[in-house]
């Protein structure tokens, strides 16, 4: 019965009649699993603490509760704030380059030009080697 319940609540198994999980849902499920593993590890470490260590930990948590809550609020605000950087980048790109303009010239780094230059240099180097080898062989 417990195994059946565990399978029923497994978030990776798709529910009958529903579409399979997308990438976003899979990443959310994996991060949820990581959080659960972290939480289990934390609980096991906490159980190993001596009573005085538990007291010290509780004391530090109580002393810094306001700081932690402020940091959590800031992080929540940052995460919930709409991300406009992508929209700004797209707008800037559209202003810089109109989509209808076509490149009518080729740059000097055109791959075909570079290949031709490289082949020409190889032919010249081979010709020079042959010319250097011929006089030495006739002597």
């Amino acid at each position: 019965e417990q195994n059946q319940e565990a399978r029923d609540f497994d978030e990776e198994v798709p529910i009958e009649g529903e579409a399979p999980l997308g990438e976003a849902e899979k990443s959310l499920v994996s991060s949820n699993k990581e959080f659960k593993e972290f939480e289990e590890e934390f609980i096991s470490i906490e159980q190993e603490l001596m009573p005085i260590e538990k007291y010290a930990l509780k004391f530090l948590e109580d002393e810094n509760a306001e700081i932690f809550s402020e940091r959590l609020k800031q992080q929540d605000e940052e995460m919930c704030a709409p991300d406009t950087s992508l929209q700004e980048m797209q707008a800037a790109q559209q202003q810089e380059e109109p989509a209808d303009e076509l490149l009518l010239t080729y740059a000097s780094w055109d791959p075909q030009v570079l290949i031709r230059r490289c082949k020409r240099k190889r032919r010249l180097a081979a010709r020079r080697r042959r010319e250097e080898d011929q006089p030495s062989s006739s002597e």
Side-chain angles (χ1 to χ4, degrees):
E1 189 175 315
Q2 290 177 345
N3 290 336
Q4 179 62 34
E5 286 182 20
R7 280 182 293 210
D8 289 343
F9 291 104
D10 188 4
E11 295 173 348
E12 288 186 352
V13 176
I15 299 173
E16 292 179 18
E18 287 190 11
L21 297 176
E23 291 300 318
E25 289 90 4
K26 286 181 182 178
S27 67
L28 185 61
V29 168
S30 66
S31 65
N32 192 17
K33 277 188 173 184
E34 291 173 7
F35 178 75
K36 286 180 183 178
E37 291 172 3
F38 174 76
E39 188 176 32
E40 290 170 1
E41 184 179 348
F42 179 76
I43 291 171
S44 68
I45 291 172
E46 193 175 47
Q47 289 173 348
E48 294 174 7
L49 294 176
M50 295 173 38
I52 189 72
E53 293 170 329
K54 289 180 182 178
Y55 175 78
L57 185 62
K58 179 73 173 150
F59 178 77
L60 288 174
E61 287 175 351
D62 292 341
E63 280 291 309
N64 298 316
E66 291 180 21
I67 297 170
F68 292 144
S69 65
E70 288 176 23
R71 285 184 185 170
L72 283 174
K73 286 179 185 177
Q74 289 174 351
Q75 289 176 353
D76 283 343
E77 290 172 1
E78 289 174 5
M79 290 180 70
C80 294
D83 187 19
T84 58
S85 60
L86 177 63
Q87 295 168 351
E88 291 171 359
M89 287 181 2
Q90 288 174 344
Q93 188 177 22
Q94 287 177 355
Q95 289 175 353
E96 289 176 10
E97 297 181 60
D100 349 24
E101 286 187 26
L102 297 174
L103 293 175
L104 300 176
T105 60
Y106 293 100
S108 62
W109 52 266
D110 183 30
Q112 292 179 349
V113 173
L114 293 177
I115 291 171
R116 279 190 233 127
R117 286 181 188 166
C118 186
K119 286 181 180 178
R120 189 177 321 140
K121 287 180 183 179
R122 286 183 186 164
R123 276 187 266 144
L124 289 172
R127 189 178 301 156
R128 286 182 190 148
R129 276 189 240 121
R130 275 188 257 129
E131 290 172 358
E132 290 172 2
D133 290 342
Q134 286 177 355
S136 64
S137 62
S138 62
E139 293 176 9

